[in-house]
Structure formats: structure tokens, C-alpha cells
Amino acid sequence: MAEMDKIIEEQRELNANKKTNKKEDEIEIAKALTFFIEDRTYGVEIDYVNEIIAVPHITVIPGVPYYIKGVINVRSKVVPVVDVRSRFGIPEREYDDKTCTLIIEYRDIQVGIIVDTVREVLSITKAAKADIPALEKVNDNKFIQYILETKDGIKMILDVKKLIFDDDFDMRLGGEEE
């Protein structure tokens, strides 16, 4: 009988640990601002977002990659602008009243990214956060840092560092990456 009591006690401890771990997995570890590009939901961690503005007048700069639309003036600072659709190989579309520019910042470098429309701010929990598949054919978008699995679908959270410091084009404009 003592052995049975010991087994029952061990089972109770295991169940208690499962409940504790579940609660830890549900604790918010970050927030993400989500937005649409085409029919997909992407996001960036909110810590990188400085502000959301309408698409301002963009000054075209010759000789930059196709996805760099030019530069804008944000509070007396020149900020390069990336059209995320172009960057991801999605056909461009005309900007409308829902099109936004997110001013993001990584290590004092600001970049505007043009998105179709802003959606919402989501809490990120350990339980909802999933690594991206390692298979090249499944994950050919090198800008995705991780995936959020939510009740209303999957959201792809972008790697801000890779958007700004990419092999194809370096937004440092003379600065140092690390």
C-alpha cells in the first residue's frame, strides 16, 4: 500500500509541475505589431516600432535596390524606406488610405517599412511562439524570425536586424553593424 501511495504522490507532483509549466508558457514575453502584406499576416516586435505614419512623399534615390523606394524625412531625420511587398517578391500595388509606413529602429538605425495595413498588437507567449521550419523549401523567406500560432491563424514575425542589415543592401549608411 505504501508503494501505491508513493506512486499517487509522484503523479500529483507531475500534474502540479504540468500546471506550473503551462502557466509559465502563457506568460507574455513580448508584444508584436501585426500587419498585412497581401493576404498574409506578418509582424515585428513592438520594441522596434517607433511610430506608424501614412505613406509620406518619398524622395527617390538612384542606384539603390528595387525594394528601396527612397528616403523620407521623419522629424528632421532622413529615413530610408523599404516596400515590404517588393522585398518579398510580391507584386506592388498602389498605396491607399490603409497603407502605412512603420518606422522601425534597430541599434539607432531607423528604416521605414511600407505595409498594406496595420492589424493589431498581440501578446507573445512561449506557448504561441514556434521556430521556423529549417527546410529551405518551406522557409525561403530569410526575414522571418519566428512564427506565432494563434487561435485565428499563423503570424510570421520578421527579424528586424535582417531587414536593416541584409547582405543585399546595408542600411547602415556608413555605420557599424555590431
PDB file of all heavy atoms in Angstrom, residues 48-85:
ATOM      1  N   TYR A  48      10.700  47.429 -31.438  1.00  0.00           N
ATOM      2  CA  TYR A  48      11.404  48.018 -32.574  1.00  0.00           C
ATOM      3  C   TYR A  48      10.603  49.099 -33.287  1.00  0.00           C
ATOM      4  O   TYR A  48      11.141  49.791 -34.146  1.00  0.00           O
ATOM      5  CB  TYR A  48      11.766  46.924 -33.597  1.00  0.00           C
ATOM      6  CG  TYR A  48      12.706  45.890 -33.051  1.00  0.00           C
ATOM      7  CD1 TYR A  48      12.275  44.585 -32.828  1.00  0.00           C
ATOM      8  CD2 TYR A  48      14.027  46.206 -32.752  1.00  0.00           C
ATOM      9  CE1 TYR A  48      13.136  43.628 -32.321  1.00  0.00           C
ATOM     10  CE2 TYR A  48      14.889  45.251 -32.251  1.00  0.00           C
ATOM     11  CZ  TYR A  48      14.446  43.966 -32.036  1.00  0.00           C
ATOM     12  OH  TYR A  48      15.300  43.019 -31.531  1.00  0.00           O
ATOM     13  N   VAL A  49       9.334  49.242 -32.954  1.00  0.00           N
ATOM     14  CA  VAL A  49       8.468  50.187 -33.661  1.00  0.00           C
ATOM     15  C   VAL A  49       8.501  51.537 -32.961  1.00  0.00           C
ATOM     16  O   VAL A  49       8.151  51.644 -31.790  1.00  0.00           O
ATOM     17  CB  VAL A  49       7.016  49.656 -33.733  1.00  0.00           C
ATOM     18  CG1 VAL A  49       6.120  50.655 -34.451  1.00  0.00           C
ATOM     19  CG2 VAL A  49       6.958  48.297 -34.415  1.00  0.00           C
ATOM     20  N   ASN A  50       8.909  52.570 -33.707  1.00  0.00           N
ATOM     21  CA  ASN A  50       8.911  53.929 -33.165  1.00  0.00           C
ATOM     22  C   ASN A  50       7.562  54.606 -33.373  1.00  0.00           C
ATOM     23  O   ASN A  50       7.054  55.274 -32.491  1.00  0.00           O
ATOM     24  CB  ASN A  50       9.984  54.796 -33.812  1.00  0.00           C
ATOM     25  CG  ASN A  50      11.362  54.516 -33.257  1.00  0.00           C
ATOM     26  OD1 ASN A  50      11.522  53.741 -32.327  1.00  0.00           O
ATOM     27  ND2 ASN A  50      12.360  55.138 -33.839  1.00  0.00           N
ATOM     28  N   GLU A  51       7.024  54.441 -34.591  1.00  0.00           N
ATOM     29  CA  GLU A  51       5.735  55.058 -34.893  1.00  0.00           C
ATOM     30  C   GLU A  51       5.153  54.491 -36.171  1.00  0.00           C
ATOM     31  O   GLU A  51       5.831  53.799 -36.925  1.00  0.00           O
ATOM     32  CB  GLU A  51       5.863  56.582 -35.002  1.00  0.00           C
ATOM     33  CG  GLU A  51       6.769  57.088 -36.097  1.00  0.00           C
ATOM     34  CD  GLU A  51       6.936  58.596 -36.038  1.00  0.00           C
ATOM     35  OE1 GLU A  51       5.929  59.321 -36.161  1.00  0.00           O
ATOM     36  OE2 GLU A  51       8.086  59.048 -35.869  1.00  0.00           O
ATOM     37  N   ILE A  52       3.885  54.786 -36.372  1.00  0.00           N
ATOM     38  CA  ILE A  52       3.158  54.374 -37.571  1.00  0.00           C
ATOM     39  C   ILE A  52       2.661  55.654 -38.223  1.00  0.00           C
ATOM     40  O   ILE A  52       2.010  56.476 -37.573  1.00  0.00           O
ATOM     41  CB  ILE A  52       1.951  53.490 -37.215  1.00  0.00           C
ATOM     42  CG1 ILE A  52       2.398  52.266 -36.417  1.00  0.00           C
ATOM     43  CG2 ILE A  52       1.197  53.076 -38.468  1.00  0.00           C
ATOM     44  CD1 ILE A  52       1.257  51.509 -35.762  1.00  0.00           C
ATOM     45  N   ILE A  53       2.988  55.817 -39.514  1.00  0.00           N
ATOM     46  CA  ILE A  53       2.556  57.016 -40.232  1.00  0.00           C
ATOM     47  C   ILE A  53       1.965  56.607 -41.581  1.00  0.00           C
ATOM     48  O   ILE A  53       2.169  55.492 -42.043  1.00  0.00           O
ATOM     49  CB  ILE A  53       3.732  58.013 -40.433  1.00  0.00           C
ATOM     50  CG1 ILE A  53       4.878  57.363 -41.230  1.00  0.00           C
ATOM     51  CG2 ILE A  53       4.237  58.537 -39.091  1.00  0.00           C
ATOM     52  CD1 ILE A  53       6.021  58.317 -41.583  1.00  0.00           C
ATOM     53  N   ALA A  54       1.244  57.546 -42.178  1.00  0.00           N
ATOM     54  CA  ALA A  54       0.769  57.323 -43.549  1.00  0.00           C
ATOM     55  C   ALA A  54       1.990  57.319 -44.466  1.00  0.00           C
ATOM     56  O   ALA A  54       3.093  57.696 -44.056  1.00  0.00           O
ATOM     57  CB  ALA A  54      -0.196  58.428 -43.935  1.00  0.00           C
ATOM     58  N   VAL A  55       1.802  56.897 -45.689  1.00  0.00           N
ATOM     59  CA  VAL A  55       2.923  56.907 -46.632  1.00  0.00           C
ATOM     60  C   VAL A  55       3.173  58.364 -47.043  1.00  0.00           C
ATOM     61  O   VAL A  55       2.341  58.969 -47.701  1.00  0.00           O
ATOM     62  CB  VAL A  55       2.631  56.035 -47.869  1.00  0.00           C
ATOM     63  CG1 VAL A  55       3.805  56.086 -48.837  1.00  0.00           C
ATOM     64  CG2 VAL A  55       2.349  54.599 -47.460  1.00  0.00           C
ATOM     65  N   PRO A  56       4.306  58.930 -46.620  1.00  0.00           N
ATOM     66  CA  PRO A  56       4.609  60.320 -46.955  1.00  0.00           C
ATOM     67  C   PRO A  56       5.220  60.434 -48.352  1.00  0.00           C
ATOM     68  O   PRO A  56       5.425  59.423 -49.035  1.00  0.00           O
ATOM     69  CB  PRO A  56       5.630  60.712 -45.890  1.00  0.00           C
ATOM     70  CG  PRO A  56       6.359  59.433 -45.612  1.00  0.00           C
ATOM     71  CD  PRO A  56       5.335  58.329 -45.782  1.00  0.00           C
ATOM     72  N   HIS A  57       5.528  61.651 -48.742  1.00  0.00           N
ATOM     73  CA  HIS A  57       6.250  61.862 -50.003  1.00  0.00           C
ATOM     74  C   HIS A  57       7.609  61.179 -49.873  1.00  0.00           C
ATOM     75  O   HIS A  57       8.342  61.383 -48.906  1.00  0.00           O
ATOM     76  CB  HIS A  57       6.434  63.349 -50.295  1.00  0.00           C
ATOM     77  CG  HIS A  57       7.346  63.576 -51.462  1.00  0.00           C
ATOM     78  ND1 HIS A  57       6.959  63.345 -52.759  1.00  0.00           N
ATOM     79  CD2 HIS A  57       8.648  63.964 -51.509  1.00  0.00           C
ATOM     80  CE1 HIS A  57       7.977  63.595 -53.561  1.00  0.00           C
ATOM     81  NE2 HIS A  57       9.015  63.973 -52.827  1.00  0.00           N
ATOM     82  N   ILE A  58       7.943  60.352 -50.853  1.00  0.00           N
ATOM     83  CA  ILE A  58       9.209  59.616 -50.844  1.00  0.00           C
ATOM     84  C   ILE A  58      10.114  60.197 -51.918  1.00  0.00           C
ATOM     85  O   ILE A  58       9.717  60.304 -53.080  1.00  0.00           O
ATOM     86  CB  ILE A  58       8.969  58.114 -51.106  1.00  0.00           C
ATOM     87  CG1 ILE A  58       8.074  57.526 -50.005  1.00  0.00           C
ATOM     88  CG2 ILE A  58      10.295  57.358 -51.191  1.00  0.00           C
ATOM     89  CD1 ILE A  58       7.620  56.100 -50.265  1.00  0.00           C
ATOM     90  N   THR A  59      11.320  60.573 -51.516  1.00  0.00           N
ATOM     91  CA  THR A  59      12.310  61.065 -52.463  1.00  0.00           C
ATOM     92  C   THR A  59      13.085  59.873 -53.006  1.00  0.00           C
ATOM     93  O   THR A  59      13.718  59.127 -52.248  1.00  0.00           O
ATOM     94  CB  THR A  59      13.286  62.053 -51.778  1.00  0.00           C
ATOM     95  OG1 THR A  59      12.522  63.122 -51.214  1.00  0.00           O
ATOM     96  CG2 THR A  59      14.298  62.592 -52.763  1.00  0.00           C
ATOM     97  N   VAL A  60      13.021  59.676 -54.309  1.00  0.00           N
ATOM     98  CA  VAL A  60      13.677  58.544 -54.962  1.00  0.00           C
ATOM     99  C   VAL A  60      15.180  58.783 -54.999  1.00  0.00           C
ATOM    100  O   VAL A  60      15.642  59.889 -55.303  1.00  0.00           O
ATOM    101  CB  VAL A  60      13.117  58.346 -56.392  1.00  0.00           C
ATOM    102  CG1 VAL A  60      13.842  57.224 -57.113  1.00  0.00           C
ATOM    103  CG2 VAL A  60      11.620  58.073 -56.329  1.00  0.00           C
ATOM    104  N   ILE A  61      15.930  57.744 -54.696  1.00  0.00           N
ATOM    105  CA  ILE A  61      17.387  57.793 -54.724  1.00  0.00           C
ATOM    106  C   ILE A  61      17.853  56.843 -55.821  1.00  0.00           C
ATOM    107  O   ILE A  61      17.552  55.647 -55.762  1.00  0.00           O
ATOM    108  CB  ILE A  61      17.999  57.356 -53.370  1.00  0.00           C
ATOM    109  CG1 ILE A  61      17.454  58.190 -52.221  1.00  0.00           C
ATOM    110  CG2 ILE A  61      19.522  57.379 -53.422  1.00  0.00           C
ATOM    111  CD1 ILE A  61      17.900  59.623 -52.208  1.00  0.00           C
ATOM    112  N   PRO A  62      18.587  57.328 -56.822  1.00  0.00           N
ATOM    113  CA  PRO A  62      19.054  56.423 -57.886  1.00  0.00           C
ATOM    114  C   PRO A  62      20.118  55.458 -57.373  1.00  0.00           C
ATOM    115  O   PRO A  62      20.856  55.755 -56.441  1.00  0.00           O
ATOM    116  CB  PRO A  62      19.631  57.379 -58.931  1.00  0.00           C
ATOM    117  CG  PRO A  62      19.812  58.682 -58.250  1.00  0.00           C
ATOM    118  CD  PRO A  62      18.969  58.708 -57.031  1.00  0.00           C
ATOM    119  N   GLY A  63      20.164  54.282 -57.995  1.00  0.00           N
ATOM    120  CA  GLY A  63      21.216  53.319 -57.715  1.00  0.00           C
ATOM    121  C   GLY A  63      21.007  52.443 -56.498  1.00  0.00           C
ATOM    122  O   GLY A  63      21.917  51.724 -56.104  1.00  0.00           O
ATOM    123  N   VAL A  64      19.830  52.488 -55.897  1.00  0.00           N
ATOM    124  CA  VAL A  64      19.575  51.616 -54.754  1.00  0.00           C
ATOM    125  C   VAL A  64      18.763  50.415 -55.232  1.00  0.00           C
ATOM    126  O   VAL A  64      18.159  50.448 -56.298  1.00  0.00           O
ATOM    127  CB  VAL A  64      18.826  52.365 -53.615  1.00  0.00           C
ATOM    128  CG1 VAL A  64      19.683  53.472 -53.040  1.00  0.00           C
ATOM    129  CG2 VAL A  64      17.485  52.891 -54.064  1.00  0.00           C
ATOM    130  N   PRO A  65      18.744  49.325 -54.459  1.00  0.00           N
ATOM    131  CA  PRO A  65      17.968  48.149 -54.870  1.00  0.00           C
ATOM    132  C   PRO A  65      16.487  48.489 -55.091  1.00  0.00           C
ATOM    133  O   PRO A  65      15.959  49.438 -54.510  1.00  0.00           O
ATOM    134  CB  PRO A  65      18.136  47.185 -53.697  1.00  0.00           C
ATOM    135  CG  PRO A  65      19.415  47.595 -53.057  1.00  0.00           C
ATOM    136  CD  PRO A  65      19.481  49.081 -53.219  1.00  0.00           C
ATOM    137  N   TYR A  66      15.827  47.681 -55.907  1.00  0.00           N
ATOM    138  CA  TYR A  66      14.439  47.903 -56.321  1.00  0.00           C
ATOM    139  C   TYR A  66      13.464  48.050 -55.156  1.00  0.00           C
ATOM    140  O   TYR A  66      12.469  48.745 -55.269  1.00  0.00           O
ATOM    141  CB  TYR A  66      13.976  46.756 -57.228  1.00  0.00           C
ATOM    142  CG  TYR A  66      13.944  45.426 -56.528  1.00  0.00           C
ATOM    143  CD1 TYR A  66      12.789  44.953 -55.941  1.00  0.00           C
ATOM    144  CD2 TYR A  66      15.098  44.643 -56.434  1.00  0.00           C
ATOM    145  CE1 TYR A  66      12.764  43.744 -55.268  1.00  0.00           C
ATOM    146  CE2 TYR A  66      15.083  43.443 -55.775  1.00  0.00           C
ATOM    147  CZ  TYR A  66      13.920  42.991 -55.186  1.00  0.00           C
ATOM    148  OH  TYR A  66      13.900  41.807 -54.523  1.00  0.00           O
ATOM    149  N   TYR A  67      13.712  47.400 -54.048  1.00  0.00           N
ATOM    150  CA  TYR A  67      12.770  47.424 -52.926  1.00  0.00           C
ATOM    151  C   TYR A  67      12.937  48.654 -52.038  1.00  0.00           C
ATOM    152  O   TYR A  67      12.106  48.923 -51.190  1.00  0.00           O
ATOM    153  CB  TYR A  67      12.868  46.144 -52.091  1.00  0.00           C
ATOM    154  CG  TYR A  67      14.274  45.858 -51.608  1.00  0.00           C
ATOM    155  CD1 TYR A  67      14.756  46.410 -50.433  1.00  0.00           C
ATOM    156  CD2 TYR A  67      15.118  45.045 -52.355  1.00  0.00           C
ATOM    157  CE1 TYR A  67      16.041  46.169 -50.004  1.00  0.00           C
ATOM    158  CE2 TYR A  67      16.405  44.787 -51.923  1.00  0.00           C
ATOM    159  CZ  TYR A  67      16.864  45.348 -50.752  1.00  0.00           C
ATOM    160  OH  TYR A  67      18.137  45.106 -50.334  1.00  0.00           O
ATOM    161  N   ILE A  68      14.018  49.415 -52.227  1.00  0.00           N
ATOM    162  CA  ILE A  68      14.198  50.676 -51.507  1.00  0.00           C
ATOM    163  C   ILE A  68      13.476  51.741 -52.320  1.00  0.00           C
ATOM    164  O   ILE A  68      13.869  52.053 -53.438  1.00  0.00           O
ATOM    165  CB  ILE A  68      15.692  51.057 -51.359  1.00  0.00           C
ATOM    166  CG1 ILE A  68      16.489  49.945 -50.698  1.00  0.00           C
ATOM    167  CG2 ILE A  68      15.833  52.379 -50.614  1.00  0.00           C
ATOM    168  CD1 ILE A  68      16.194  49.724 -49.253  1.00  0.00           C
ATOM    169  N   LYS A  69      12.406  52.270 -51.779  1.00  0.00           N
ATOM    170  CA  LYS A  69      11.590  53.244 -52.513  1.00  0.00           C
ATOM    171  C   LYS A  69      12.212  54.628 -52.490  1.00  0.00           C
ATOM    172  O   LYS A  69      11.859  55.476 -53.285  1.00  0.00           O
ATOM    173  CB  LYS A  69      10.164  53.282 -51.950  1.00  0.00           C
ATOM    174  CG  LYS A  69       9.425  51.980 -52.160  1.00  0.00           C
ATOM    175  CD  LYS A  69       9.329  51.693 -53.640  1.00  0.00           C
ATOM    176  CE  LYS A  69       9.375  50.248 -53.972  1.00  0.00           C
ATOM    177  NZ  LYS A  69       9.592  49.941 -55.347  1.00  0.00           N
ATOM    178  N   GLY A  70      13.122  54.863 -51.573  1.00  0.00           N
ATOM    179  CA  GLY A  70      13.775  56.160 -51.450  1.00  0.00           C
ATOM    180  C   GLY A  70      13.936  56.516 -49.987  1.00  0.00           C
ATOM    181  O   GLY A  70      14.081  55.633 -49.140  1.00  0.00           O
ATOM    182  N   VAL A  71      13.882  57.816 -49.712  1.00  0.00           N
ATOM    183  CA  VAL A  71      14.026  58.291 -48.338  1.00  0.00           C
ATOM    184  C   VAL A  71      12.892  59.252 -48.003  1.00  0.00           C
ATOM    185  O   VAL A  71      12.302  59.879 -48.892  1.00  0.00           O
ATOM    186  CB  VAL A  71      15.395  58.982 -48.099  1.00  0.00           C
ATOM    187  CG1 VAL A  71      16.536  57.985 -48.236  1.00  0.00           C
ATOM    188  CG2 VAL A  71      15.601  60.164 -49.020  1.00  0.00           C
ATOM    189  N   ILE A  72      12.609  59.339 -46.701  1.00  0.00           N
ATOM    190  CA  ILE A  72      11.607  60.278 -46.207  1.00  0.00           C
ATOM    191  C   ILE A  72      12.225  61.083 -45.078  1.00  0.00           C
ATOM    192  O   ILE A  72      13.269  60.702 -44.530  1.00  0.00           O
ATOM    193  CB  ILE A  72      10.325  59.557 -45.717  1.00  0.00           C
ATOM    194  CG1 ILE A  72      10.636  58.561 -44.587  1.00  0.00           C
ATOM    195  CG2 ILE A  72       9.628  58.863 -46.881  1.00  0.00           C
ATOM    196  CD1 ILE A  72       9.407  57.903 -43.967  1.00  0.00           C
ATOM    197  N   ASN A  73      11.589  62.168 -44.733  1.00  0.00           N
ATOM    198  CA  ASN A  73      12.028  62.999 -43.619  1.00  0.00           C
ATOM    199  C   ASN A  73      11.088  62.738 -42.448  1.00  0.00           C
ATOM    200  O   ASN A  73       9.896  63.001 -42.541  1.00  0.00           O
ATOM    201  CB  ASN A  73      11.995  64.474 -44.024  1.00  0.00           C
ATOM    202  CG  ASN A  73      12.542  65.374 -42.947  1.00  0.00           C
ATOM    203  OD1 ASN A  73      12.436  65.099 -41.756  1.00  0.00           O
ATOM    204  ND2 ASN A  73      13.124  66.477 -43.371  1.00  0.00           N
ATOM    205  N   VAL A  74      11.647  62.205 -41.369  1.00  0.00           N
ATOM    206  CA  VAL A  74      10.872  61.954 -40.159  1.00  0.00           C
ATOM    207  C   VAL A  74      11.522  62.726 -39.028  1.00  0.00           C
ATOM    208  O   VAL A  74      12.621  62.389 -38.590  1.00  0.00           O
ATOM    209  CB  VAL A  74      10.814  60.445 -39.816  1.00  0.00           C
ATOM    210  CG1 VAL A  74      10.032  60.205 -38.527  1.00  0.00           C
ATOM    211  CG2 VAL A  74      10.218  59.649 -40.956  1.00  0.00           C
ATOM    212  N   ARG A  75      10.871  63.789 -38.608  1.00  0.00           N
ATOM    213  CA  ARG A  75      11.386  64.637 -37.520  1.00  0.00           C
ATOM    214  C   ARG A  75      12.819  65.084 -37.778  1.00  0.00           C
ATOM    215  O   ARG A  75      13.711  64.894 -36.954  1.00  0.00           O
ATOM    216  CB  ARG A  75      11.260  63.927 -36.191  1.00  0.00           C
ATOM    217  CG  ARG A  75       9.814  63.628 -35.829  1.00  0.00           C
ATOM    218  CD  ARG A  75       9.648  63.044 -34.486  1.00  0.00           C
ATOM    219  NE  ARG A  75       8.499  62.213 -34.287  1.00  0.00           N
ATOM    220  CZ  ARG A  75       7.276  62.367 -34.778  1.00  0.00           C
ATOM    221  NH1 ARG A  75       7.003  63.348 -35.561  1.00  0.00           N
ATOM    222  NH2 ARG A  75       6.301  61.534 -34.500  1.00  0.00           N
ATOM    223  N   SER A  76      13.024  65.623 -38.966  1.00  0.00           N
ATOM    224  CA  SER A  76      14.322  66.161 -39.402  1.00  0.00           C
ATOM    225  C   SER A  76      15.410  65.091 -39.519  1.00  0.00           C
ATOM    226  O   SER A  76      16.598  65.397 -39.437  1.00  0.00           O
ATOM    227  CB  SER A  76      14.784  67.281 -38.469  1.00  0.00           C
ATOM    228  OG  SER A  76      13.842  68.329 -38.484  1.00  0.00           O
ATOM    229  N   LYS A  77      15.012  63.850 -39.690  1.00  0.00           N
ATOM    230  CA  LYS A  77      15.971  62.775 -39.883  1.00  0.00           C
ATOM    231  C   LYS A  77      15.626  62.069 -41.191  1.00  0.00           C
ATOM    232  O   LYS A  77      14.475  61.752 -41.453  1.00  0.00           O
ATOM    233  CB  LYS A  77      15.897  61.789 -38.709  1.00  0.00           C
ATOM    234  CG  LYS A  77      16.978  60.745 -38.738  1.00  0.00           C
ATOM    235  CD  LYS A  77      16.994  59.939 -37.459  1.00  0.00           C
ATOM    236  CE  LYS A  77      18.141  58.952 -37.508  1.00  0.00           C
ATOM    237  NZ  LYS A  77      18.232  58.153 -36.304  1.00  0.00           N
ATOM    238  N   VAL A  78      16.642  61.825 -42.021  1.00  0.00           N
ATOM    239  CA  VAL A  78      16.442  61.132 -43.289  1.00  0.00           C
ATOM    240  C   VAL A  78      16.362  59.634 -43.005  1.00  0.00           C
ATOM    241  O   VAL A  78      17.260  59.055 -42.385  1.00  0.00           O
ATOM    242  CB  VAL A  78      17.590  61.443 -44.273  1.00  0.00           C
ATOM    243  CG1 VAL A  78      17.442  60.628 -45.545  1.00  0.00           C
ATOM    244  CG2 VAL A  78      17.622  62.931 -44.580  1.00  0.00           C
ATOM    245  N   VAL A  79      15.253  59.025 -43.460  1.00  0.00           N
ATOM    246  CA  VAL A  79      14.996  57.611 -43.175  1.00  0.00           C
ATOM    247  C   VAL A  79      14.757  56.879 -44.492  1.00  0.00           C
ATOM    248  O   VAL A  79      13.875  57.258 -45.265  1.00  0.00           O
ATOM    249  CB  VAL A  79      13.751  57.473 -42.257  1.00  0.00           C
ATOM    250  CG1 VAL A  79      13.396  56.012 -42.026  1.00  0.00           C
ATOM    251  CG2 VAL A  79      13.965  58.198 -40.932  1.00  0.00           C
ATOM    252  N   PRO A  80      15.541  55.816 -44.781  1.00  0.00           N
ATOM    253  CA  PRO A  80      15.279  55.017 -45.980  1.00  0.00           C
ATOM    254  C   PRO A  80      13.960  54.258 -45.817  1.00  0.00           C
ATOM    255  O   PRO A  80      13.566  53.908 -44.710  1.00  0.00           O
ATOM    256  CB  PRO A  80      16.464  54.053 -46.057  1.00  0.00           C
ATOM    257  CG  PRO A  80      17.091  54.070 -44.707  1.00  0.00           C
ATOM    258  CD  PRO A  80      16.686  55.330 -44.027  1.00  0.00           C
ATOM    259  N   VAL A  81      13.297  54.005 -46.949  1.00  0.00           N
ATOM    260  CA  VAL A  81      12.000  53.325 -46.928  1.00  0.00           C
ATOM    261  C   VAL A  81      12.057  52.069 -47.790  1.00  0.00           C
ATOM    262  O   VAL A  81      12.472  52.115 -48.948  1.00  0.00           O
ATOM    263  CB  VAL A  81      10.883  54.261 -47.448  1.00  0.00           C
ATOM    264  CG1 VAL A  81       9.547  53.540 -47.450  1.00  0.00           C
ATOM    265  CG2 VAL A  81      10.806  55.527 -46.612  1.00  0.00           C
ATOM    266  N   VAL A  82      11.605  50.950 -47.209  1.00  0.00           N
ATOM    267  CA  VAL A  82      11.559  49.656 -47.879  1.00  0.00           C
ATOM    268  C   VAL A  82      10.103  49.305 -48.125  1.00  0.00           C
ATOM    269  O   VAL A  82       9.279  49.390 -47.217  1.00  0.00           O
ATOM    270  CB  VAL A  82      12.206  48.561 -47.000  1.00  0.00           C
ATOM    271  CG1 VAL A  82      12.011  47.178 -47.607  1.00  0.00           C
ATOM    272  CG2 VAL A  82      13.667  48.850 -46.762  1.00  0.00           C
ATOM    273  N   ASP A  83       9.785  48.902 -49.355  1.00  0.00           N
ATOM    274  CA  ASP A  83       8.455  48.371 -49.636  1.00  0.00           C
ATOM    275  C   ASP A  83       8.529  46.872 -49.383  1.00  0.00           C
ATOM    276  O   ASP A  83       9.222  46.153 -50.095  1.00  0.00           O
ATOM    277  CB  ASP A  83       8.048  48.658 -51.082  1.00  0.00           C
ATOM    278  CG  ASP A  83       6.608  48.292 -51.351  1.00  0.00           C
ATOM    279  OD1 ASP A  83       6.225  47.143 -51.046  1.00  0.00           O
ATOM    280  OD2 ASP A  83       5.868  49.136 -51.874  1.00  0.00           O
ATOM    281  N   VAL A  84       7.849  46.420 -48.338  1.00  0.00           N
ATOM    282  CA  VAL A  84       7.938  45.009 -47.947  1.00  0.00           C
ATOM    283  C   VAL A  84       7.425  44.091 -49.052  1.00  0.00           C
ATOM    284  O   VAL A  84       7.969  43.011 -49.274  1.00  0.00           O
ATOM    285  CB  VAL A  84       7.197  44.760 -46.611  1.00  0.00           C
ATOM    286  CG1 VAL A  84       7.248  43.287 -46.221  1.00  0.00           C
ATOM    287  CG2 VAL A  84       7.808  45.600 -45.499  1.00  0.00           C
ATOM    288  N   ARG A  85       6.411  44.519 -49.785  1.00  0.00           N
ATOM    289  CA  ARG A  85       5.914  43.705 -50.905  1.00  0.00           C
ATOM    290  C   ARG A  85       7.048  43.424 -51.897  1.00  0.00           C
ATOM    291  O   ARG A  85       7.274  42.282 -52.288  1.00  0.00           O
ATOM    292  CB  ARG A  85       4.780  44.424 -51.644  1.00  0.00           C
ATOM    293  CG  ARG A  85       3.470  44.358 -50.949  1.00  0.00           C
ATOM    294  CD  ARG A  85       2.437  45.195 -51.745  1.00  0.00           C
ATOM    295  NE  ARG A  85       1.118  44.749 -51.428  1.00  0.00           N
ATOM    296  CZ  ARG A  85       0.441  43.819 -52.098  1.00  0.00           C
ATOM    297  NH1 ARG A  85       0.951  43.263 -53.164  1.00  0.00           N
ATOM    298  NH2 ARG A  85      -0.746  43.446 -51.711  1.00  0.00           N
TER     299      ARG A  85
END
